[in-house]
Amino acid sequence: MKITFLGAAREVTGSMYMLERNDGGIFLVDCGMFQGRSEHSNEENFPFEAKEVDFLILTHAHLDHSGRIPKLVKDGFSGKLYMTYPTSELVKVLWKDTVKLMGEEAEWKNRKNRRSGKPEVVPLFDMDDVERAASLIEVVPYDEMVELNGVNFRLRDAGHILGSSSVELWVDGLKMVFSGDVGPQRNGIEGAPAFITDADYVVVESTYGDRLHKGLDETRREFRDAILSTIKRGKVLIPSFVVDRAQRIIYEFSLMKSEGLLPHNLQIFFDSPMGKAVTEIYKEHKDLLSGEVLEFMSKGHDPFDVKGLSYVSSVEESKRINDVESAIVIAGSGMCNGGRIVHHLKHNLWKDTTSVIFVGYQAVGTLGRKIVEGAERVRVAGEDVKVAAHIYTINGFSAHADRDELLKWVSGFGNDTVFFVTHGEEKSSLSLAKAIMDAGKSAVVPVPGQTVELDRKEDIEKSVELLEGRGQILDDIQSKLDYIKKHGIAYSADVEALLKSVDVLLDAVRERLM
């Protein structure tokens, strides 16, 4: 059997893994959108014939895992899409909203293209593709074995978002596990991830593979201080993924309200056309939420209903928020690379009475990443905007496990298991792989497009790339690149020639690793 890493290899987004069975059958785990610096890759053709894919297993609803499934269907896929019931409800909402956003963006671009004589832009997929994709969904309960002509699999609770799963897979005499996105041990609204043991191979995420989160109590204190110090003087903007992170923030406000910490007349806007629909799905599946949430509910509180909370659907309602001087605004997208948060940043980022609280991961190349890294000016909706707002980064609310929690999850597997470390920026993936190896296990960090023969385990173990000295070399190279980026380069002819030589050498190293 072979596995090809078609996304989320040395980056966080675009999750997609293609597995080729010994009998020639093909299936996928995830089919997500790229975001940030690799967003252009969404336009590229799949490196396989979509009609030849037998089925797809989806780990969870987030668009970086599910977003290109309608495109897959558009290109000819007609097999089953296997996922949990909550995931099936969430992806339908997300896909429909994506069609709307892509349509609006295409319309805006085409008005400019028609004036300049350029060809028109066509969205990745349309509502017909979404409807056809939805018709292919096959719901699978947690922990139930599914048998598919020589492929057996089971979905386990990953504790990341509602309906998220890790995948246990048996095929061609091997057991393989896909972690999906693993949640923290203490998540706030989701339960802890299932503890899985035994596998020949594990594909494990590494979003926070090189860092630790602060504890939940400390995170809550930071969040509350940021909120309470701002609402007296201006707006609080919270860029948020509409699925899970927004519901988590609403729950935090519900806790604060129950403790009498929020003014009774405070306005909270959840500015998203799909915000109410997603929150209703969370309410429908309260039995899957954490013990903390269930205990809060037992005292008569609703975790997702706060006095003063308004769901904003129309563009006109969204624009009217500009006239409100003091309020909390939750809006997508979480990385500020689209959605209504861009509109609010344009109107408020330049004000020193504003606070922007980032509560989720910001991928390289996104507007959110530029802001959290301290940019003094940023490009927002076609305009240069000064960053005068107070910026807070609070990662303790993350729905991803940190380094130590990932290592705890990994510890359930034996020393003969080989780990493929994915779904993280290169530095994070390499760091987690090194920590796994320090624990006496084997770890590989695949490069984009790499294919691995899983039947030749000895060869894979020999190819493990992270030796102590090599890891130090990579750290040294990264440090020098960071210095050059920070301090700028005098582009003389000899400097440019040297940089081109470095580029060629790095390409040669990359080729050797593939």
Side-chain angles (χ1 to χ4, degrees):
M1 187 171 72
K2 299 178 184 177
I3 182 171
T4 303
F5 299 88
L6 297 174
R10 303 190 180 223
E11 63 180 305
V12 173
T13 65
S15 286
M16 182 163 62
Y17 310 103
M18 181 175 71
L19 292 108
E20 300 173 75
R21 298 168 56 184
N22 291 338
D23 64 5
I26 296 174
F27 63 97
L28 302 177
V29 175
D30 289 346
C31 185
M33 281 185 165
F34 290 93
Q35 297 167 315
R37 64 183 177 188
S38 297
E39 195 166 331
H40 63 278
S41 299
N42 294 324
E43 305 285 344
E44 297 175 1
N45 293 328
F46 293 113
F48 52 81
E49 290 291 334
K51 63 184 178 182
E52 294 180 0
V53 177
D54 297 328
F55 61 90
L56 181 148
I57 303 171
L58 179 61
T59 60
H60 66 283
H62 277 153
L63 288 175
D64 64 318
H65 292 256
S66 72
R68 284 189 292 165
I69 290 177
K71 182 181 185 297
L72 187 72
V73 172
K74 177 181 180 180
D75 288 357
F77 173 79
S78 60
K80 290 292 185 183
L81 302 168
Y82 294 98
M83 63 192 75
T84 64
Y85 180 52
T87 297
S88 73
E89 294 187 290
L90 291 170
V91 291
K92 292 171 190 175
V93 175
L94 287 169
W95 289 342
K96 289 176 182 177
D97 184 68
T98 301
V99 167
K100 181 175 179 294
L101 292 175
M102 287 192 305
E104 291 172 354
E105 183 179 5
E107 184 179 346
W108 174 72
K109 287 182 177 179
N110 286 335
R111 283 199 299 269
K112 295 175 66 177
N113 288 354
R114 283 192 288 269
R115 289 194 295 268
S116 60
K118 295 179 180 179
E120 294 203 352
V121 173
V122 179
L124 279 181
F125 51 85
D126 59 25
M127 199 60 74
D128 287 341
D129 302 315
V130 166
E131 295 296 340
R132 284 192 292 140
S135 72
L136 300 175
I137 291 174
E138 188 83 15
V139 169
V140 178
Y142 281 129
D143 304 323
E144 182 176 294
M145 189 69 75
V146 178
E147 299 180 4
L148 298 172
N149 297 322
V151 179
N152 296 343
F153 73 88
R154 179 167 58 192
L155 302 182
R156 309 293 301 280
D157 192 346
H160 172 60
I161 67 170
L162 185 68
S164 64
S165 59
S166 300
V167 182
E168 288 185 283
L169 182 71
W170 292 263
V171 58
D172 289 343
L174 298 171
K175 181 183 178 184
M176 192 162 195
V177 171
F178 291 82
S179 72
D181 287 0
V182 180
Q185 295 297 313
R186 187 183 174 197
N187 191 333
I189 64 173
E190 264 81 35
F195 198 63
I196 303 172
T197 60
D198 300 323
D200 294 292
Y201 300 98
V202 176
V203 177
V204 61
E205 69 120 323
S206 58
T207 310
Y208 290 99
D210 61 345
R211 70 200 85 168
L212 302 177
H213 299 320
K214 292 180 179 177
L216 184 55
D217 293 337
E218 184 179 356
T219 297
R220 280 181 168 151
R221 283 195 298 271
E222 285 188 3
F223 179 72
R224 293 176 177 195
D225 288 346
I227 293 292
L228 296 175
S229 65
T230 305
I231 55 177
K232 300 172 184 176
R233 68 171 185 263
K235 279 200 179 84
V236 178
L237 304 182
I238 305 179
S240 175
F241 299 108
V242 177
V243 174
D244 191 78
R245 199 60 47 84
Q247 288 70 39
R248 171 60 188 274
I249 296 305
I250 292 171
Y251 170 55
E252 294 299 324
F253 288 139
S254 187
L255 285 173
M256 292 177 71
K257 203 79 169 182
S258 71
E259 297 172 28
L261 296 176
L262 295 178
H264 70 280
N265 61 344
L266 176 65
Q267 296 184 81
I268 304 172
F269 298 100
F270 187 1
D271 189 5
S272 168
M274 60 176 172
K276 188 171 182 62
V278 170
T279 305
E280 288 300 320
I281 293 171
Y282 267 71
K283 289 182 177 182
E284 180 186 345
H285 296 284
K286 288 177 181 175
D287 58 308
L288 293 176
L289 301 179
S290 69
E292 178 182 316
V293 171
L294 296 177
E295 182 181 355
F296 186 66
M297 291 168 55
S298 72
K299 297 176 181 177
H301 303 294
D302 188 331
F304 305 123
D305 190 15
V306 186
K307 184 179 179 182
L309 173 65
S310 301
Y311 289 92
V312 179
S313 296
S314 71
V315 173
E316 291 72 23
E317 289 176 296
S318 179
K319 289 179 178 178
R320 283 199 289 270
I321 298 175
N322 291 331
D323 300 325
V324 180
E325 289 187 7
S326 178
I328 296 171
V329 182
I330 306 166
S333 70
M335 298 183 191
C336 307
N337 56 326
R340 292 183 178 177
I341 193 63
V342 175
H343 156 77
H344 294 295
L345 289 170
K346 178 180 176 180
H347 288 275
N348 295 281
L349 193 59
W350 57 273
K351 301 176 183 177
D352 62 7
T353 56
T354 300
S355 286
V356 183
I357 303 178
F358 289 93
V359 292
Y361 185 81
Q362 305 300 309
V364 172
T366 60
L367 174 59
R369 182 63 167 259
K370 294 173 184 174
I371 294 172
V372 300
E373 287 186 340
E376 296 180 358
R377 305 186 71 87
V378 289
R379 191 82 174 165
V380 185
E383 293 186 16
D384 286 326
V385 178
K386 179 178 70 172
V387 181
H390 300 264
I391 309 300
Y392 298 87
T393 302
I394 299 178
N395 285 327
F397 286 147
S398 176
H400 288 272
D402 66 14
R403 183 197 66 203
D404 285 358
E405 289 168 324
L406 286 169
L407 290 174
K408 181 177 180 181
W409 188 85
V410 161
S411 69
F413 299 94
N415 288 345
D416 57 344
T417 300
V418 176
F419 293 86
F420 296 107
V421 184
T422 65
H423 199 287
E425 290 178 19
E426 188 168 51
K427 180 174 178 289
S428 180
S429 295
L430 291 170
S431 177
L432 182 65
K434 182 178 183 303
I436 290 171
M437 293 183 69
D438 287 344
K441 305 177 191 294
S442 298
V444 179
V445 182
V447 297
Q450 182 174 357
T451 297
V452 178
E453 290 267 8
L454 298 177
D455 299 318
R456 295 158 63 182
K457 193 170 186 178
E458 297 80 6
D459 292 344
I460 297 170
E461 291 175 331
K462 288 176 185 175
S463 73
V464 169
E465 62 178 282
L466 260 178
L467 301 175
E468 290 285 346
R470 208 176 307 179
Q472 184 60 52
I473 290 170
L474 291 171
D475 288 344
D476 289 345
I477 292 172
Q478 185 63 54
S479 176
K480 289 166 185 172
L481 288 173
D482 290 342
Y483 179 87
I484 292 170
K485 286 180 181 178
K486 183 176 180 180
H487 295 280
I489 304 169
Y491 280 103
S492 61
D494 57 337
V495 168
E496 187 170 350
L498 285 170
L499 287 172
K500 286 181 178 178
S501 298
V502 170
D503 189 42
V504 170
L505 288 170
L506 289 174
D507 276 342
V509 172
R510 181 186 174 109
E511 288 296 322
R512 290 290 298 272
L513 291 172
M514 292 184 71

